[in-house]
Amino acid sequence: FVRGGNLEPNVPSVSKEITPGSSAQSRDDDELPMPSFSGARVGPTGQAVFKGEGAPNTPLGLWNRDQKLAEAVVSASGNWNIVLDRPLGAGAAELTLKSIQDGAELLAPESLLLFVDPTGTTSLAIISRFGRSSRILQRPDDLPAAQFAVDSSD
């Protein structure tokens, strides 16, 4: 796993957003997979760990709107893990993934919606993808305030 950092890859920044109905969304079998979230744990005071899949050996950035939170490189097996250095602030956040593939920066078609209760007692994590049902990764009552453990096995 990789802890949050300020690494900048030496590749051109060409943004290519995948939108419903666009030709870029229907990808060929030989194309690399888009980055995605498969898990998230957010502690009641904002400490957080995320995991997911992506194209093997590609750089991946985790963003909260226009702020880069962390960066990792997807493993050879296509998995990634990120543990944030600093807790998320209280309130709502919308996390997105950006991947560098073939010299272009690709924005993942899903986002992770988070809410950290300002009282420090609970948190919520939901994956949202345009045109599909949302998926709850963590409900407020899934994580008691006294328990927060990070399992970052790859």
Side-chain angles (χ1 to χ4, degrees):
F1 69 91
V2 175
R3 291 197 178 272
N6 223 0
L7 306 174
E8 291 294 328
N10 260 345
V11 276
S13 180
V14 179
S15 189
K16 181 179 177 186
E17 185 170 352
I18 306 300
T19 56
S22 73
S23 60
Q25 188 176 10
S26 56
R27 300 173 64 84
D28 296 331
D29 289 338
D30 60 341
E31 289 189 49
L32 300 174
M34 293 295 290
S36 64
F37 292 100
S38 63
R41 279 311 245 186
V42 181
T45 57
Q47 63 275 40
V49 62
F50 308 98
K51 67 179 183 174
E53 293 85 31
N57 305 313
T58 58
L60 176 82
L62 176 67
W63 293 76
N64 182 12
R65 295 182 174 87
D66 62 350
Q67 177 188 12
K68 184 187 262 185
L69 298 178
E71 189 170 83
V73 175
V74 180
S75 71
S77 63
N79 299 305
W80 59 267
N81 291 297
I82 293 176
V83 178
L84 293 184
D85 285 337
R86 293 184 307 250
L88 294 166
E94 181 177 1
L95 305 185
T96 55
L97 298 169
K98 293 180 184 177
S99 177
I100 307 295
Q101 296 181 19
D102 298 326
E105 185 177 79
L106 301 178
L107 179 62
E110 66 185 18
S111 59
L112 181 61
L113 308 175
L114 301 174
F115 179 75
V116 177
D117 186 350
T119 64
T121 58
T122 190
S123 54
L124 171 70
I126 301 172
I127 291 180
S128 175
R129 187 169 186 166
F130 185 81
R132 293 193 179 171
S133 298
S134 296
R135 184 166 51 113
I136 298 173
L137 294 180
Q138 179 180 318
R139 290 177 170 79
D141 51 352
D142 286 349
L143 189 66
Q147 296 177 346
F148 180 73
V150 174
D151 176 20
S152 58
S153 58
D154 186 65

